[in-house]
Every structure is written in C-alpha cells, then in structure tokens.
Amino acid sequence: MDLERVAPAVRAAGAALLVDVTHAVGVMAVDVRRTDPDFLVFPTYKWVLGPYGRAFLYVARRWQERGVPLEQTSHSRRAVAAERAPYLADLRFAEGARRFDMGERDHLITLEMAAVGMEMMAQWGQAAIEQRLAMLTAMLAEGLRGTGVRLPAAGLRAPHVLSLEFPGGMKEGLVEALAAEGVHVAPRLGRMRISPHVYNDEADVEAFLRAFRHLIPGAQSSDFWG
C-alpha cells in the first residue's frame, strides 16, 4: 500500500491515520517522517524477534497533549498512586506520549527482550534483511512452479510473505502433514502462508519444496501466477 499517497487523502478528509505495521517493521522500510501518521503500532513478536505481550506505539506530536487513550490507567495520569495520599492527587494526563502507555508497562523483562531483538536487527540493517528474505521467497516461488498453486506476481507481494491459493481448495490435513515432516506453515482462510525469517536459510526452502511436492503430486504449471 502506497501510504505516501493514502496519508494526504486521509488528512484531507479530516480523519486520523492509524497504521498497523505488524508485518512490516524489521523487514520493510517504515519512515514516519515521510508518511506522517497520527499513530503507528507494532508488536515485537512478529518480525523484530521480540516477546509476546510487548508492543510499541508511535504518537505524532500533535496528539501527545490532546489525545485520549483507550486504556485508562494510573500511569497515564500525572499523580495517581495507591501508596501515598491523596490517592487521586492529579488526574490530568501525563505529558507527552506517556498517556498512551499500557497498564502493566513495568514488566521490564519483556522490554529488555524486545530491545535486544530490535538492536540486533538494526545492526544487520533493514535493507539487508529485506534483500535476504526476498531472495528466499523468490526461491520458494520459483520452486512452486508446476505444483498447481497460485501466487500473486512478485510486484504485488511483500518480500517476506507468500500466500498460496489452491484452485480446488487446500487439501485437508496438508498443513499437519507438512508439520509431520518438520515443515511449519500457517493456514489462512483456505490459503497457506509461508513467511521465512532471518533464522531460515536455503536448506529450509529446499526442505519445504521436497515435502510439498511429495504431498501435492501431479500438479499443473499453468496454474502459477507469479
């Protein structure tokens, strides 16, 4: 999606732009200076090698002093604390984006885990990670020729995710059969999602293709889109 074209249209309509970059941060280029979203959010457990239960929210400066958070917590107020009197000393929202913090923000072990994962990926570089994963998905796409599945053309898909469509419907038990051979993919509304990450390599691609061709014999190459 071309957010640089979408964002001005959203603002012209008087709406706020909230961008969910769950499947982008860490692999695809994300620059809030270019798209200027009102809010941008992503969890750490998908593509930045972090833990469950931790997510990050970008809040444009124009909302930091007037936005009303969905979650009403003591942390989001300037002076609400059960350990001292008065309990409700100052109900005004905290300054800046801190008003949007989650309730149990002090779960510090997950914050440290998230930081380590993101720092490691930052050292490798987003462009290098994108190039590497795009190479693996291209290998997968080429290897799936002749298996009967349909794939979007390369220009219409993300560099790190393949969505396989089965013209006659996905064979029942296929995902489980692949798992039995040590190959793990995700069923999604009748399709199959393959999403390699930095811990995957060419040997993993070859293992998937061997198992897939073994389980889906006699396919026709004319069904291939990409």
Side-chain angles (χ1 to χ4, degrees):
M1 184 176 293
D2 189 351
L3 287 179
E4 291 187 41
R5 294 181 61 192
V6 172
V10 170
R11 283 192 290 270
L17 178 62
L18 187 152
V19 185
D20 179 350
V21 286
T22 295
H23 283 284
V25 165
V27 178
M28 302 175 70
V30 176
D31 189 346
V32 296
R33 293 168 297 185
R34 294 175 65 92
T35 56
D36 189 25
D38 294 283
F39 304 92
L40 180 143
V41 63
F42 66 96
T44 64
Y45 77 96
K46 283 287 186 182
W47 293 95
V48 290
L49 304 181
Y52 284 98
R54 179 63 70 177
F56 289 92
L57 174 70
Y58 166 84
V59 181
R61 192 171 298 278
R62 57 186 171 271
W63 286 102
Q64 291 183 14
E65 298 301 331
R66 64 187 181 96
V68 178
L70 296 176
E71 185 181 8
Q72 299 291 318
T73 70
S74 60
H75 292 303
S76 71
R77 307 291 176 163
R78 296 196 183 192
V80 175
E83 64 270 17
R84 65 174 181 265
Y87 179 21
L88 307 176
D90 190 343
L91 292 179
R92 290 178 299 165
F93 284 118
E95 295 180 355
R98 288 182 298 164
R99 67 177 63 194
F100 296 98
D101 274 347
M102 64 183 288
E104 291 297 330
R105 66 179 186 178
D106 294 334
H107 193 195
L108 299 181
I109 187 171
T110 60
L111 189 59
E112 178 69 11
M113 293 163 67
V116 169
M118 288 191 290
E119 289 165 359
M120 184 166 58
M121 295 193 71
Q123 289 176 1
W124 295 332
Q126 172 270 319
I129 293 171
E130 180 176 2
Q131 182 180 19
R132 170 68 178 170
L133 299 187
M135 181 274 292
L136 292 179
T137 53
M139 282 184 61
L140 284 163
E142 182 61 30
L144 286 167
R145 288 185 180 275
T147 62
V149 298
R150 293 177 176 172
L151 298 176
L156 299 176
R157 62 184 186 240
H160 54 310
V161 179
L162 285 182
S163 179
L164 279 56
E165 180 183 353
F166 298 79
M170 187 163 60
K171 179 181 176 183
E172 185 175 355
L174 177 58
V175 172
E176 293 78 10
L178 286 168
E181 297 196 27
V183 174
H184 300 278
V185 295
R188 290 292 184 269
L189 299 176
R191 294 173 179 250
M192 178 184 294
R193 190 183 76 191
I194 311 172
S195 47
H197 205 352
V198 292
Y199 40 73
N200 295 116
D201 58 20
E202 292 85 344
D204 293 324
V205 172
E206 294 170 0
F208 167 82
L209 293 171
R210 282 195 304 270
F212 191 87
R213 288 182 175 276
H214 171 69
L215 295 167
I216 307 291
Q220 299 298 315
S221 61
S222 60
D223 287 327
F224 188 85
W225 287 4

